[in-house]
Amino acid sequence: MASTPQLVSSGSYADQRYAKFDERKRKRMESNRESAKRSRMKKQQRLEELSSETTQLQNQNSICHDKIESVERNYRAIDAENNVLRAQLAELTERLNSLNSLTQFWADTTGFPVDIPEIPDTLLEPWQLPCPIQPITASDMFQF
C-alpha cells in the first residue's frame, strides 16, 4: 500500500509537469497572439501612412500638372502674339521700303534732294535690340 501513494504522488507530479508545460505553452501562444496583433496594427498604420502620402503626392502632382498646363497656355499665347508681331513687322517694313522707293523716285524726277534714312537694323532684326537684355529666371516663368 505504500507504493500506491507514490503512484498517486508521481501521477500528480506528472500532472503538475504537464500543467506547467501547458501553462508555458499557453503563455507562449498568448504572447505570440499579442505580438501578431501588434504586427498587424503596425502594418495597418504603415498602410494608412502610405495611403495618406499617396493622396498628398497625387494632389501635388495635380497642382504641378495644372501649373505646367497654365505655363504652356501662356507660352502658346505669347508665341502666337509674337507671330502676329513678326508678320506686322514684315508688313510695315515692306510698306516703309515701298514709301522710301516712292520718295526716292519723286526726288529723282523732281530733282528735289530728299534724305532717306536707312531702315535701322534693330527694326529688321528685333532680336538684336540696343537695350540691355534682362535675364529671365525660372521663378519668373512660374508666377501666375
Side-chain angles (χ1 to χ4, degrees), residues 77-100:
I78 290 170
D79 191 44
E81 185 179 349
N82 281 343
N83 288 336
V84 168
L85 291 173
R86 283 187 197 103
Q88 288 174 346
L89 175 65
E91 181 183 339
L92 291 173
T93 302
E94 186 60 36
R95 282 184 183 181
L96 184 56
N97 285 332
S98 294
L99 289 173
N100 283 346

Side-chain angles (χ1 to χ4, degrees), residues 24 56 86 120 124 126 134:
R24 276 192 236 137
Q56 182 182 7
R86 283 187 197 103
L124 297 177
Q134 297 292 327

Side-chain angles (χ1 to χ4, degrees), residues 10-98:
S10 69
S12 66
Y13 176 73
D15 288 343
Q16 286 177 355
R17 242 177 66 200
Y18 285 124
K20 281 185 182 182
F21 177 76
D22 285 345
E23 181 65 21
R24 276 192 236 137
K25 183 177 178 182
R26 187 190 63 75
K27 284 183 180 181
R28 189 170 54 246
M29 287 175 64
E30 182 67 28
S31 173
N32 287 347
R33 272 191 218 106
E34 290 296 321
S35 177
K37 184 178 178 181
R38 285 191 305 272
S39 178
R40 285 189 302 273
M41 288 174 64
K42 283 181 184 179
K43 186 176 181 180
Q44 181 64 32
Q45 182 181 6
R46 180 66 178 142
L47 183 64
E48 289 170 2
E49 289 171 0
L50 289 173
S51 178
S52 174
E53 185 178 349
T54 299
T55 302
Q56 182 182 7
L57 289 172
Q58 286 172 338
N59 290 339
Q60 288 175 353
N61 189 26
S62 177
I63 289 168
C64 288
H65 188 265
D66 291 345
K67 286 182 180 180
I68 288 170
E69 283 182 348
S70 176
V71 168
E72 286 176 346
R73 277 192 307 274
N74 289 342
Y75 171 79
R76 285 190 297 272
I78 290 170
D79 191 44
E81 185 179 349
N82 281 343
N83 288 336
V84 168
L85 291 173
R86 283 187 197 103
Q88 288 174 346
L89 175 65
E91 181 183 339
L92 291 173
T93 302
E94 186 60 36
R95 282 184 183 181
L96 184 56
N97 285 332
S98 294

